[in-house]
Amino acid sequence: MSGRLKFVKRGGGAVASITEGDLNAHEWGSSPGNPLDTLRAQDLELPHEVSVLYINPAADYQQGTQKSQRQTGSGVGVLTIPLPVAMSDAKAKQVADVNHYNAWVARTTYTLQLSRKWAKLEPTDVIDVTYRDVTLRMRITSKDDAVPGIITLACVAEDSAIYSQSGMGAGESSIPGQVVTIPVQTLGMLLDIPMLRDADDDAGIYFAACGYRSGWSGCVVFKSNDDGATYTQLFADSNAAAIGYAITALGDFHGGNIFDELNTVTVQMVAGTLSSVSETLVLNGENYAVIGNEIVQFKNATLVSPGVYTLSGLLRGRKGSEWAMPFHTIGERFAFVSASTFRRVPFQTSDIGLERLFKFPTFGMTLQQAAPNPFTPAGVALECYSPVEVGAGRNVNGDYIINWKRRGRISAEWRDYTDIPLGEAAESYEVDVMDSTFTTVKRTIAVSTNTATYTAAQQIADSGEISSTLYLRVYQISAVTGRGYPAPASFELPIAFSSTQWRIYVTAQYGVFTWLEIQEVEMMATVGGADQCAGGSASASTTLSAGWEASNAFDNTTSTWGSSNTDPPHWIQYTFAAPVSVLEFSITANAFERSPTAFALEFYNGSTWVRIFSVAGQSFSANERKTYAV
């Protein structure tokens, strides 16, 4: 069942005039009653004062009060009418007067019984009733037609004049002015960067915030560990950070730990200002900033337009962030580092690698009004810096000796007569031996000191020879986060081993005939130098027959050494009177069908043969000479 509400404006005229003859309707056979029952309330039951509470636009929308008081009579009650409506003082005074006068007018109530002739009448209708030559105006408050054919009306006295009151309202004074504003949205920045203070040696991250426009009052930081089902408040932050974004891309820098005077970057600030400082103050630790993932310091902040600065005189890759120098882009984040605006967000090591949700609603906003920000911590503050000053040398056995210097995340200041603290549970490193493109790991060497050895045997196993070039990545290891940032390095060390015994070791030859023929072998101490195979003796693994001796290959004539009629490997050796180095060698084939296709240069180090060069897939024409630099 549905119903309707009907609102009727007061102060209208009578809708019906009822004469005395229409009164006192009663059932057939019953005795008539009183034609017009009248009841008048006592003064003590009536209000002495009516107060109206309302919203006053003239008083900064504070609550206002207007009163209507009766100066005569014995009424003692006070009626308060709270209205959640904005209105003027005069209107509120009118409402108070109308309700006050109406209460006294309506103190007289009437009950009358009418026939069905007046069935159209409804509550709120105003009627005129003539009784004993007096016309009374009244307003119907209820209607009852329970008795068949009889309508019983309850009415109160009505005076239409009271609804046109126009009293003067009393104005409010000393109301403080207020500004109703919309909360400024928060620009929050979560920064998983190296720790900026030794006290931050944990898995936490940094938080900085500002408003997207002026008027930002602060925010509250919430974190959820259950995908947004519940949020825990971490802290409130009302210190606006200097935050912006890059509108140019900062170039790469390879100058090391010196000021970059070549590159600049221009940033657009969302909030905050920047200023220049002296070089001395920069060296003393001022003007730190985060650009993308790189931490820098800057000397000069040149204002080029409102909120736009060009930064120059940069110290790059601070706090071990030099790995990020090549990866800058337009639009990346910028934040000025300040102890008062960078707050620490705690994380446990068990949180590393797990996504968490954050919200930072501005003061005055609800948690539901703030958007969730997913974030996965990597524990960057606990990652080891990349080692520096990576160097390599070679010993007489062809082993590479690799060394480096570690850096410390904690208390890394220079102090006399002491090294920086290790900052890790134990000292540990890994060295990756890479290919020339730095895409394939040939071998990983794990050590507990800052020195590693890449032996000749390992080089031969990895590359088939002793390498003249070396490509490395060196890592310090953390017990919590594993490998730190890598230190890439490459070296080219000429192979200049000294020995009295050198040989050509053939592993494959052209396949029609099974014996091998080499017309001449030359070994040079320098690239482009003279053959030094003189004054010594030659030997070979096998000889085809008389006239094909190994010495034929070292006499600078067309005479030829031939191996036995067997499958490779075969070798031909020259023993010098004194140790020599070989940096280049040549081979002259006798005939293409008996020429070598895969071979190596080796020397004897007193206990074993060491391979320093190898080649495969070769093809010789008859009497063709080919030269190879080691």
Side-chain angles (χ1 to χ4, degrees):
M1 172 181 281
S2 62
R4 292 187 300 169
L5 291 176
K6 182 179 180 181
F7 297 89
V8 179
K9 186 175 181 180
R10 299 280 186 90
V15 300
S17 295
I18 301 174
T19 63
E20 188 172 346
D22 290 321
L23 302 175
N24 203 8
H26 56 280
E27 291 184 273
W28 178 261
S30 64
S31 300
N34 190 356
L36 184 64
D37 285 334
T38 302
L39 181 65
R40 181 180 174 85
Q42 298 182 18
D43 285 5
L44 292 177
E45 299 176 9
L46 300 175
H48 166 70
E49 175 183 293
V50 173
S51 296
V52 172
L53 308 181
Y54 62 103
I55 299 172
N56 190 353
D60 200 26
Y61 289 86
Q62 303 298 305
Q63 179 177 282
T65 304
Q66 295 295 331
K67 298 180 179 181
S68 177
Q69 295 177 325
R70 190 173 179 85
Q71 303 302 319
T72 60
S74 54
V76 295
V78 176
L79 175 63
T80 300
I81 304 174
L83 296 177
V85 179
M87 62 181 70
S88 65
D89 295 331
K91 183 63 177 178
K93 173 63 173 172
Q94 181 187 36
V95 172
D97 287 342
V98 167
N99 282 274
H100 195 189
Y101 295 159
N102 184 66
W104 282 80
V105 170
R107 68 188 295 186
T108 303
T109 61
Y110 305 95
T111 303
L112 57 154
Q113 291 181 318
L114 305 175
S115 68
R116 298 291 296 175
K117 170 184 175 181
W118 301 102
K120 65 179 180 179
L121 296 178
E122 295 180 350
T124 72
D125 284 345
V126 176
I127 59 176
D128 287 336
V129 177
T130 302
Y131 179 65
R132 295 180 180 176
D133 298 327
V134 177
T135 299
L136 303 173
R137 177 157 288 189
M138 59 189 71
R139 175 169 41 86
I140 301 172
T141 59
S142 67
K143 176 182 178 181
D144 186 1
D145 53 3
V147 179
I150 304 299
I151 297 173
T152 301
L153 300 180
C155 305
V156 296
E158 176 77 351
D159 183 358
S160 299
I162 67 174
Y163 300 111
S164 60
Q165 300 292 326
S166 58
M168 180 70 70
E172 302 285 351
S173 61
S174 302
I175 301 298
Q178 293 187 7
V179 178
V180 179
T181 60
I182 299 175
V184 177
Q185 289 283 347
T186 295
L187 169 57
M189 190 175 288
L190 297 166
L191 299 140
D192 197 357
I193 58 176
M195 65 179 190
L196 303 173
R197 302 174 288 256
D198 286 354
D200 299 333
D201 185 23
D202 54 37
I205 62 176
Y206 293 102
F207 174 78
C210 68
Y212 277 100
R213 56 180 175 83
S214 61
W216 183 72
S217 57
C219 68
V220 183
V221 178
F222 292 87
K223 175 188 173 186
S224 173
N225 292 337
D226 53 12
D227 199 28
T230 60
Y231 280 88
T232 301
Q233 178 176 328
L234 300 181
F235 53 80
D237 188 0
S238 59
N239 294 322
I243 292 176
Y245 55 91
I247 58 177
T248 63
L250 178 60
D252 195 5
F253 182 63
H254 303 282
N257 193 28
I258 60 175
F259 280 95
D260 179 1
E261 303 290 359
L262 300 176
N263 293 298
T264 64
V265 62
T266 301
V267 296
Q268 170 73 64
M269 302 302 294
V270 175
T273 60
L274 305 175
S275 59
S276 302
V277 298
S278 67
E279 183 172 306
T280 299
L281 290 178
V282 170
L283 295 175
N284 285 336
E286 292 198 17
N287 272 17
Y288 269 93
V290 180
I291 305 177
N293 289 312
E294 182 185 357
I295 301 176
V296 305
Q297 289 178 269
F298 60 91
K299 289 187 293 184
N300 309 312
T302 304
L303 183 65
V304 295
S305 62
V308 178
Y309 296 84
T310 295
L311 308 183
S312 60
L314 307 171
L315 278 180
R316 304 288 300 274
R318 315 308 285 167
K319 303 294 182 180
S321 65
E322 64 281 338
W323 63 270
M325 290 194 296
F327 305 112
H328 290 288
T329 60
I330 295 175
E332 65 186 352
R333 66 188 180 184
F334 173 87
F336 183 79
V337 176
S338 168
S340 63
T341 60
F342 268 49
R343 299 288 299 270
R344 192 70 173 166
V345 178
F347 272 108
Q348 303 299 319
T349 55
S350 58
D351 291 321
I352 294 175
L354 301 178
E355 183 179 88
R356 302 299 187 218
L357 295 181
F358 288 85
K359 287 188 176 185
F360 356 98
T362 302
F363 294 159
M365 295 176 58
T366 66
L367 181 64
Q368 290 71 26
Q369 289 176 298
N373 296 269
F375 189 85
T376 303
V380 172
L382 297 177
E383 292 197 28
C384 299
Y385 294 177
S386 62
V388 294
E389 297 185 19
V390 181
R394 199 196 311 268
N395 62 20
V396 295
N397 296 323
D399 304 331
Y400 274 112
I401 310 300
I402 307 160
N403 52 50
W404 56 86
K405 291 183 180 178
R406 68 173 176 85
R407 293 190 288 171
R409 300 177 299 106
I410 302 172
S411 300
E413 301 84 3
W414 284 350
R415 294 188 178 93
D416 293 337
Y417 312 115
T418 184
D419 199 357
I420 59 174
L422 178 62
E424 308 300 332
E427 188 169 5
S428 179
Y429 306 92
E430 288 183 354
V431 180
D432 280 349
V433 181
M434 310 295 298
D435 67 353
S436 60
T437 63
F438 280 91
T439 56
T440 301
V441 178
K442 295 182 177 181
R443 179 181 296 271
T444 297
I445 305 169
V447 294
S448 58
T449 65
N450 62 338
T451 299
T453 301
Y454 185 34
T455 67
Q458 291 171 333
Q459 297 170 55
I460 294 171
D462 295 340
S463 305
E465 62 185 13
I466 291 182
S467 303
S468 60
T469 55
L470 186 63
Y471 305 94
L472 304 172
R473 283 199 179 107
V474 183
Y475 304 84
Q476 187 174 358
I477 308 300
S478 163
V480 177
T481 59
R483 285 184 166 189
Y485 293 103
S490 61
F491 305 94
E492 185 169 353
L493 299 178
I495 300 174
F497 303 110
S498 182
S499 176
T500 58
Q501 296 173 282
W502 293 83
R503 72 181 183 182
I504 305 298
Y505 191 86
V506 179
T507 56
Q509 65 192 62
Y510 197 79
V512 176
F513 296 92
T514 55
W515 70 86
L516 174 68
E517 295 182 8
I518 294 180
Q519 190 179 103
E520 192 69 29
V521 174
E522 298 172 285
M523 299 183 183
M524 286 70 77
T526 60
V527 175
D531 179 24
Q532 55 184 342
C533 294
S537 59
S539 58
S541 56
T542 61
T543 300
L544 179 60
S545 62
W548 296 83
E549 291 80 6
S551 58
N552 292 345
F554 298 97
D555 60 1
N556 294 315
T557 69
T558 58
S559 58
T560 301
W561 164 67
S563 72
S564 63
N565 191 10
T566 57
D567 292 333
H570 301 292
W571 53 263
I572 182 170
Q573 172 185 333
Y574 196 84
T575 301
F576 294 89
V580 299
S581 296
V582 177
L583 292 183
E584 186 178 65
F585 70 97
S586 67
I587 293 178
T588 304
N590 187 52
F592 77 90
E593 66 270 19
R594 290 182 292 277
S595 62
T597 59
F599 47 88
L601 175 67
E602 299 179 340
F603 73 92
Y604 191 69
N605 66 1
S607 60
T608 187
W609 286 95
V610 178
R611 180 170 299 178
I612 64 172
F613 178 87
S614 64
V615 67
Q618 299 299 292
S619 177
F620 286 83
S621 300
N623 304 316
E624 181 182 5
R625 178 178 183 266
K626 289 190 174 183
T627 302
Y628 303 90
V630 176

